[in-house]
Amino acid sequence: MNVIDQVLRVLDAALSLQGRALGFDRSTPLLGDLPELDSMAVLALITGLENHFGIAFDDDELNGVVFATVGSLTDLVEQHLSSTGA
C-alpha cells in the first residue's frame, strides 16, 4: 500500500468519513472544503498520522497550507518518512 492510500485511510478514520476518503485523490481539497475537518478533527488527524507512520510533526510545520489538499498532506508525511528512513 502506498503512502497516499495510507494517508486516506487515516483521514477516513480520523474524520469518520465511512469510506468516503478512499475515493479522494491528490487534488482533493481538505481544509475549508471538507466540513468534517474542523479544529478538533485536525488534531485527531495529526495524531492518527503520527501513530500510523511512527513520525512526529513539529508545530512550526503544521499550517493551513499542509491541510489544503490530500496531496499537500501526503507530501508532508512523505518528507518525514524519507528523513527518518522509514
Side-chain angles (χ1 to χ4, degrees):
M1 185 180 306
N2 63 29
V3 175
I4 192 168
D5 289 340
Q6 294 178 62
V7 168
L8 290 175
R9 289 184 184 283
V10 173
L11 178 68
D12 197 78
L15 276 58
S16 301
L17 296 177
Q18 300 174 336
R20 283 186 15 229
L22 305 181
F24 295 172
D25 61 26
R26 287 188 62 82
S27 64
T28 302
L30 297 176
L31 196 61
D33 285 20
L34 192 61
E36 294 87 353
L37 190 59
D38 60 17
S39 58
M40 292 303 293
V42 167
L43 293 175
L45 178 56
I46 291 166
T47 301
L49 291 169
E50 289 178 331
N51 290 338
H52 179 82
F53 290 101
I55 56 180
F57 300 116
D58 294 327
D59 289 343
D60 63 340
E61 64 188 334
L62 298 173
N63 55 53
V65 174
V66 168
F67 296 96
T69 65
V70 170
S72 58
L73 184 59
T74 301
D75 289 345
L76 177 66
V77 171
E78 288 175 335
Q79 288 170 6
H80 272 268
L81 293 175
S82 66
S83 69
T84 61

